[in-house]
Amino acid sequence: MSAARDWPLYEIFIRARGGLDHKHVGSVHAADAAMAVEHARDVYTRRQEGVSIWVARSSDIVASDPAESDALFEPARDKIYRHPTFYDIPKEVETL
Amino acid sequence: MYTQGLLEQGGKGVAAAAVEDSERLRRFEARIEAEEKIEPKDWMPDAYRQTLIRQISQHAHSEIVGMLPEGNWITRAPTLLRKSILIAKVQDEGGHGAYLYSAAETLGISRAEMIDQLLAGKAKYSSIFNYPTLTWADIGAIGWLVDGAAIMNQIPLCRCSYGPYARAMIRVCREESFHQRQGYDIMLKLARGTAGQRRMAQDALNRWWWPSLMMFGPSDGASQHTALSVRWKIKRFTNDELRQKFVDFTVPQAKFLGITVPDAALHWDESAARHHFGEIDWAEFHEVLRGNGPCNRERLAARRQAHDAGRWVREAAAAHAAKHAARAAAA
Amino acid sequence: MSAAGPDGVAISDRVRHLLRLADTSLVLAQRLGEWVGHAPAIEEDLGLANTALDLLGQSRLLLSYAGELEGKGRGEDALAFLREEADFLNVTLAEQPNGDFGDTIVRQFLIDAYQLELYERLVASKDARLAEIAAKAVKETRYHLRFSSAWLVRLGDGTAESHARVQASLERLWPYSRELFDADELDRQIASAGIGPDLATLHDAWSSRVDAVLAEATLRRPADTPYLWYGKQGRHSEHLGYLLTELQYLQRTHLGASW
């Protein structure tokens, strides 16, 4: 059972919107860099638009003591059913 | 919840770690105490690492296997909007699985190894996904109850001591409340619909209520692995605490729908200010964990089939990438 | 009997034209929905689901518009869930079964390349609403084509096994591509009214695109076969009946219910 059977691991960095830095959001497995960008789009940006995605082979990253932070996401306007506020849950029903 | 069936060393783990390096352990535990996050390159006791690998990978497996009972109704969703919502939800679950495998990999295990464990039947996933989705109302019940229970478990995990897991949980929680709301929305429509639809809703609640309560795991008295997980801030609340909270939140929601929770013993306990509920059938729970639930074999068979049928595809992608790297190098 | 619009095309014909577009996207989305949870990797589950969602979105916009134009009170769901096989006007290629991942990618690629050329031209349609729908669909289809082309190349120029499999998929599905470009009376009317493109031009553009990707994928373009399919006229393969049975089951069982 060897890790060589996985596609290589890529670390993913996303710029949520203009003016922000790219932030590390996690990793994906992909056969090549182009696939990694597509996978990152599908895994990490289902709720946002206007992103920039950087991918780097995990093995290429040289680390000291990385400080990682979360990326912020903006809603994708035409997929409103993803968002909690889309549903008209009656006010009497609490805690949903 | 993702540690149902997890075997842990308990006290033995602490003793073994102390032998490893008592000063490092002391500093590690002080960091935990101070609510600092542990990151991938930090020193950690082996028991901490192994517990997290098992818990995170089982959580990931749960998301992936969880795509199957709901995916079952994508082609039969009753409107185009419901079909879209269900695809988006199941897509989110796949995404959650991906975040979690990612988080687990930071601890030194590969995705291939984790998948192998799942397909060999060596790893567990949440018991709830071994139940069948027999009607459209089941999709509502899963969103409302199963995702509701998952949210209850996942919110505290956002404060888990291990950075990558906590961050994955924050991302998951942001997406999860859509899941529960769409489930309750389905139930609302059914409860206010035709006689046939109301019957469907009640039937789904009858079948999904008790398995949802079982999701929280054995009762605290019967649970051996809690102590270390609580001490190292992997587990922030006990099984019974979360289960009680779930019951207290959910019973009024069922009342609003006008359907009955299938528990004759259920009643509001005024003095304790909480709902008293009946005894869970722990025999059923253990059988399901052992592999003898309604759909255990089918779920695993489906995952094995997808993995095997996809092997030539994954290999082709790797071969293509290698050819191109070689051509680029030669150019 | 149907009133003609200002462009001389009967309303019922404009509705039929919209249904051809809508049903192709709907049926293809339905097929992709079957893959969820069974793809070769989680990330491909997400990619196929993404395409399915986009196609569903397109079909909903087109069906709603068709229903409004028709003026008989049928909305997107009435059209999707209560029509019979002979009234579905998707191209036959869209309803072909998923088969293996290679079959699915070939089917997707052939339709993505067709839809991209089609939507790019529909952006200039004299029907403003259709042009607006097409403008949104163009962006989505570019991404779909990127996904399916990239996979076709990986499979075609991957291993010996993947090459053989996907060449076989191509041979099997190629005969269905002819229907996309065979202009019938409706296509000709729609083209002369400036609502839709001339299919011959569409075919040439599609053909160049396809050739370029097949070359990169080291795949052989199959010969055209004489048999013509007529899904867009409501005469389908045996597959559509089963597909609609699943799609329509709940609405037909609980007539008139809200969901």
Side-chain angles (χ1 to χ4, degrees), chain C:
Chain C
M1 211 157 347
S2 195
D7 43 35
V9 180
I11 297 289
S12 59
D13 287 336
R14 287 180 63 196
V15 169
R16 283 178 67 81
H17 173 243
L18 288 171
L19 289 178
R20 286 180 171 182
L21 303 175
D23 290 343
T24 294
S25 289
L26 175 60
V27 167
L28 192 50
Q30 179 75 356
R31 281 298 189 211
L32 292 177
E34 295 169 22
W35 268 107
V36 179
H38 306 285
I42 301 166
E43 291 84 356
E44 289 357 288
D45 272 309
L46 301 189
L48 293 171
N50 174 70
T51 303
L53 279 173
D54 287 343
L55 290 170
L56 260 182
Q58 288 167 21
S59 77
R60 291 179 62 205
L61 291 172
L62 291 162
L63 286 174
S64 296
Y65 182 29
E68 281 174 41
L69 254 188
E70 185 190 49
K72 292 185 184 152
R74 290 204 286 184
E76 67 190 45
D77 287 330
L79 288 167
F81 293 90
L82 300 174
R83 277 183 295 154
E84 297 176 51
E85 289 91 311
D87 298 323
F88 269 79
L89 306 181
N90 56 284
V91 296
T92 317
L93 179 56
E95 73 203 40
Q96 297 312 300
N98 285 334
D100 67 11
F101 190 72
D103 292 316
T104 289
I105 289 296
V106 167
R107 182 189 63 203
Q108 195 61 43
F109 169 70
L110 295 175
I111 294 183
D112 287 339
Y114 158 74
Q115 284 187 327
L116 184 57
E117 297 299 334
L118 176 63
Y119 290 140
E120 276 180 347
R121 287 165 179 76
L122 285 176
V123 167
S125 173
K126 292 232 169 86
D127 180 332
R129 176 108 165 244
L130 180 54
E132 205 185 309
I133 295 173
K136 180 170 186 283
V138 165
K139 283 193 234 167
E140 294 169 346
T141 310
R142 271 195 200 115
Y143 191 80
H144 303 165
L145 183 58
R146 179 182 148 156
F147 178 86
S148 57
S149 306
W151 267 110
L152 192 58
V153 168
R154 286 180 200 119
L155 298 179
D157 189 21
T159 60
E161 179 185 2
S162 70
H163 178 91
R165 281 197 190 225
V166 84
Q167 182 68 54
S169 304
L170 195 55
E171 304 286 339
R172 244 191 322 273
L173 292 170
W174 190 259
Y176 296 98
S177 65
R178 231 189 109 188
E179 182 189 355
L180 307 179
F181 310 104
D182 185 79
D184 62 7
E185 183 53 38
L186 178 58
D187 293 316
R188 281 189 286 274
Q189 271 199 51
I190 291 291
S192 28
I195 295 174
D198 164 50
L199 291 189
T201 324
L202 206 66
H203 177 256
D204 294 341
W206 174 86
S207 197
S208 307
R209 256 191 209 280
V210 166
D211 282 341
V213 177
L214 290 185
E216 204 189 332
T218 72
L219 292 167
R220 208 176 44 245
R221 175 175 171 143
D224 288 332
T225 52
Y227 190 75
L228 192 52
W229 290 92
Y230 293 98
K232 67 184 186 184
Q233 293 182 1
R235 208 160 85 208
H236 293 277
S237 68
E238 290 180 350
H239 300 294
L240 188 68
Y242 290 105
L243 183 149
L244 292 181
T245 304
E246 268 187 50
L247 175 73
Q248 302 185 337
Y249 161 72
L250 270 178
Q251 285 230 12
R252 288 185 179 278
T253 307
H254 300 265
L255 283 171
S258 294
W259 302 93

Side-chain angles (χ1 to χ4, degrees), chain A residues 1-3 5-7 9 25-27 29 31-32 35 43-44 46-47 63-64 66 68 70-71 73 81-84 87 89-90 92-96, chain B residues 41 81 84-85 88 91-92 95 98-99 102 105 110-112 116 167 170-171 174-175 177-178 180-182 184-185 188 192 249 253 256 314 317-318 321:
Chain A
M1 303 299 145
S2 84
R5 291 188 297 106
D6 274 324
W7 290 329
L9 196 61
V25 295
S27 60
H29 284 278
D32 53 52
M35 192 196 277
V43 176
Y44 291 104
R46 283 190 305 285
R47 282 169 172 72
S64 59
E68 307 190 16
D70 298 338
F73 289 91
Y81 45 77
R82 289 189 196 284
H83 298 294
Y87 296 100
I89 306 294
E92 301 94 313
V93 185
E94 297 170 307
T95 66
L96 245 186
Chain B
K41 280 170 65 75
L81 177 59
S84 304
I85 292 170
Q91 193 190 33
D92 274 353
Y99 306 152
S102 247
E105 286 187 278
S110 72
R111 192 199 280 193
D116 283 343
R167 287 188 291 276
I170 290 170
R171 182 184 296 277
R174 264 191 226 124
E175 301 179 352
S177 91
F178 142 65
Q180 192 188 24
R181 279 169 168 254
Q182 66 83 47
Y184 196 75
D185 192 56
L188 260 177
R192 292 169 171 170
F249 275 30
Q253 293 165 357
F256 189 84
R314 294 188 299 272

